[in-house]
């Protein structure tokens, strides 16, 4: 019913608003609080409150437990799920605004080197971890994707909130995210075909062709479409500017998603196209509040689909712990090396490593592919375990990554002097 749907949306925004108030009062990043608010209002927590508390808890004759249980929201409610998608699209659109095509081409060599280091270290460790846990090549391939890909959405939001977006450390972070997003577009095509198609190589090849064709088409649009994007924003009305920008961006992102190409990648390229116009600052001013609103919905949705009960399985907990312990250092190292490839000093390179530890939306997409392939490309138990592991891993790493970025100053004060002292050590000449 319409009135119930409106109440659900009202609860969503009230919950994230209250979470934001708490975060600001204690001077913490809002992202973990949005996620935890989503978990609280999920069917797995409030929705099951009566199972733990029992019925009959009344105040003035009113059943409080029943009322609280009724506040639970479904993570797959149409508006919430769609709002989460819009959050991803808008965050990556803003990332594209900061990273225009000329900048991308100028830094292509550094992006390639930093991205390759990131891929080799983290995807490689993921393959080893996945095979050690499940003893299956396809399961190892999925686990490698889950632990490799950093969260473009969360990292972009953190860069903006902390004011790092204009700093030197943002270049290797954004460049590596571009590399990862391009890689993941092909990876998702392969994973979907292998898992959902029961291992069909021909289907995987076809989907890769579609993904690459769409990406090439977007690159052509970005390169030759500046005049079109400039004309689309030639209006004195802020309303028309917002509507035209959203119309173009969301339409292209939706077309990408319908072809099983990442909507985030598509939104990033559209943002790059608009970055070549003379309206970048205007777009940032007009769309900033909308971006942050739907970004909050996205983070809330992550919490909403997280079932704490999946962490009750001992093997899942071991898998999550192993992934965290193994892949947090690898991202720190690969991020630091990426910063050095960009000729940054030790302090800013450490910041790059801290920022890249966050995992998020793409890991959840891979987990969903695994779950959808239960009984098809994967054994049901394996698929369910990978999904549970990925959800717990993303929840932990999203909180850890944002926390590391927020307290980077304290970490740098301890780590950087030691790194600099080692790098400044001059080897003694060999004895005659």
């Amino acid at each position: 019913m319409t009135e119930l749907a409106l109440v659900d949306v009202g609860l969503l925004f009230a919950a994230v608003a209250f979470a934001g108030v708490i975060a600001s009062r204690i001077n913490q990043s809002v992202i973990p609080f949005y996620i935890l608010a989503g978990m609280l209002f999920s069917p797995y927590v409030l929705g099951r409150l009566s199972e733990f508390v029992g019925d009959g808890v009344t105040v003035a004759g009113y059943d409080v437990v029943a009322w609280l249980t009724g506040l639970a929201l479904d993570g797959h409610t149409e508006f919430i799920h769609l709002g989460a998608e819009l959050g991803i699209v808008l965050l990556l659109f803003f990332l594209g605004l900061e990273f225009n095509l000329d900048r991308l081409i100028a830094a292509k060599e550094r992006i390639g080197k930093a991205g390759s280091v990131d891929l080799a270290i983290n995807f490689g460790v993921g393959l080893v971890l996945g095979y050690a846990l499940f003893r299956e090549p396809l399961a190892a391939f999925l686990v490698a994707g889950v632990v490799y890909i950093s969260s473009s959405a969360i990292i972009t939001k953190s860069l903006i909130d902390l004011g790092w977006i204009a700093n030197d450390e943002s270049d290797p972070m954004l460049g590596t995210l571009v590399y990862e997003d391009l890689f993941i577009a092909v990876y998702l095509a392969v994973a979907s075909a292998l898992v959902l198609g029961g291992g069909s190589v021909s289907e995987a090849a076809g989907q890769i062709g579609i993904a690459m064709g769409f990406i090439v088409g977007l690159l052509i649009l970005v390169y030759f479409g500046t005049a079109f994007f400039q004309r689309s924003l030639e209006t004195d009305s802020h309303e028309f500017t917002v509507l035209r920008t959203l119309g173009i961006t969301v339409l292209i992102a939706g077309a990408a998603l319908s072809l099983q190409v990442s909507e985030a990648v598509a939104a990033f390229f559209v943002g790059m196209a608009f970055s070549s116009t003379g309206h970048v600052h205007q777009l940032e001013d007009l769309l900033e509040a909308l971006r942050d609103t739907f970004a909050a919905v996205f983070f809330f949705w992550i919490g909403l689909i997280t079932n704490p009960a999946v962490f009750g399985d001992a093997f899942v907990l071991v898998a999550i712990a192993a992934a965290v312990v193994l892949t947090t250092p690898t991202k720190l190292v690969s991020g630091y090396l990426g910063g050095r490839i960009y000729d940054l000093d030790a302090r800013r390179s450490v910041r790059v490593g801290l920022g890249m530890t966050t995992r998020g939306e793409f890991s959840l997409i891979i987990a969903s592919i695994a779950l959808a392939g239960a009984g098809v490309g994967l054994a049901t138990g394996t698929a369910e375990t990978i999904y549970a592991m990925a959800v717990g891993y993303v929840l932990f790493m999203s909180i850890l990554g944002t926390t590391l970025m927020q307290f980077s100053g304290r970490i740098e004060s301890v780590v950087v002097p030691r790194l600099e002292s080692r790098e400044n050590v001059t080897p003694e000449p060999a004895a005659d």
Side-chain angles (χ1 to χ4, degrees):
M1 297 175 64
T2 304
E3 62 271 21
L4 292 179
L6 191 59
V7 168
D8 286 348
V9 175
L11 285 171
L12 157 68
F13 286 119
V16 296
F18 185 66
V21 169
I22 295 175
S24 63
R25 288 285 177 88
I26 60 177
N27 195 29
Q28 298 294 312
S29 169
V30 296
I31 294 172
F33 286 85
Y34 289 154
I35 296 172
L36 292 173
M39 291 184 67
L40 175 63
F41 279 86
S42 72
Y44 312 110
V45 179
L46 275 185
R48 299 181 62 186
L49 184 63
S50 61
E51 297 180 22
F52 303 101
V53 178
D55 298 322
V57 180
T58 60
V59 174
Y62 195 81
D63 193 330
V64 177
V65 173
W67 178 73
L68 288 172
T69 302
L71 295 181
L73 302 174
D74 185 355
H76 299 288
T77 298
E78 186 174 352
F79 175 85
I80 298 175
H81 188 255
L82 181 60
E85 293 282 1
L86 286 172
I88 296 173
V89 167
L90 288 170
L91 283 168
L92 270 294
F93 172 80
F94 267 74
L95 178 59
L97 283 180
E98 296 289 340
F99 212 100
N100 61 45
L101 186 60
D102 291 337
R103 184 177 170 189
L104 180 68
I105 294 173
K108 63 181 183 299
E109 185 175 344
R110 286 177 170 178
I111 290 174
K113 289 180 179 179
S116 296
V117 168
D118 174 58
L119 175 64
I121 293 176
N122 295 288
F123 198 85
V125 168
L127 284 173
V128 173
L129 173 65
Y131 194 79
L133 290 172
F134 298 101
R135 303 294 179 180
E136 295 180 23
L138 184 53
F141 182 69
L142 293 172
V143 171
V146 168
V147 303
Y148 157 67
I149 185 73
S150 299
S151 172
S152 298
I154 299 177
I155 292 172
T156 302
K157 171 68 172 169
S158 296
L159 285 173
I160 294 167
D161 288 348
L162 295 172
W164 291 13
I165 195 71
N167 295 349
D168 291 340
E169 60 266 24
S170 69
D171 283 343
M173 293 174 72
L174 297 180
T176 303
L177 289 176
V178 170
Y179 186 103
E180 288 186 353
D181 288 352
L182 292 175
F183 174 84
I184 212 68
V186 177
Y187 172 90
L188 289 176
V190 175
S192 297
L194 293 178
V195 175
L196 303 179
S200 171
V201 177
S202 60
E203 184 176 344
Q207 188 57 46
I208 292 172
I210 293 173
M212 295 307 296
F214 194 89
I215 290 171
V216 170
L218 284 175
L219 282 171
I220 293 173
L221 179 65
V222 171
Y223 190 77
F224 293 104
T226 301
F228 164 75
F229 288 100
Q230 179 69 38
R231 286 196 303 271
S232 70
L233 298 178
E234 289 177 354
T235 173
D236 296 328
S237 169
H238 289 171
E239 175 187 353
F240 291 162
T241 299
V242 172
L243 289 174
R244 292 174 187 181
T245 304
L246 290 178
I248 294 171
T249 304
V250 178
L251 181 62
I252 293 176
L257 193 60
S258 68
L259 295 174
Q260 297 184 23
V261 178
S262 168
E263 75 277 28
V265 174
F268 170 78
F269 281 118
V270 176
M272 282 206 306
F274 277 108
S275 72
S276 299
T277 70
H279 298 273
V280 174
H281 295 300
Q282 181 188 25
L283 290 176
E284 290 175 341
D285 290 340
L286 292 176
L287 294 174
E288 180 180 4
L290 191 65
R291 175 203 66 199
D292 291 341
T293 299
F294 283 104
V297 176
F298 165 71
F299 300 124
F300 184 85
W301 172 78
I302 290 179
L304 209 58
I305 64 171
T306 301
N307 183 0
V310 302
F311 310 138
D313 183 276
F315 183 78
V316 171
L317 289 176
V318 169
I320 293 171
V324 170
V325 170
L326 286 175
T327 64
T328 300
T330 59
K331 272 292 182 180
L332 291 171
V333 170
S334 63
Y336 179 82
L337 294 175
R340 302 304 271 177
I341 289 171
Y342 273 73
D343 297 324
L344 300 186
D345 59 23
R347 182 175 68 86
R348 294 194 182 277
S349 296
V350 167
R351 281 192 173 189
V352 176
L354 295 173
M356 294 302 295
T357 56
T358 306
R359 312 307 203 277
E361 66 280 6
F362 286 119
S363 298
L364 292 174
I365 291 170
I366 296 167
S368 298
I369 291 173
L371 192 62
V376 182
L378 287 170
T380 300
T382 300
E384 291 175 348
T385 302
I386 292 175
Y387 179 81
M389 170 195 169
V391 170
Y393 177 72
V394 166
L395 178 64
F396 188 92
M397 296 303 292
S398 61
I399 295 173
L400 176 64
T402 53
T403 303
L404 289 176
M405 290 181 74
Q406 185 174 11
F407 294 100
S408 64
R410 298 181 186 179
I411 299 170
E412 292 162 20
S413 65
V414 175
V415 175
V416 173
R418 298 182 181 182
L419 290 172
E420 289 178 339
S421 64
R422 289 187 179 184
E423 292 175 359
N424 292 331
V425 171
T426 302
E428 297 181 3
D432 293 333

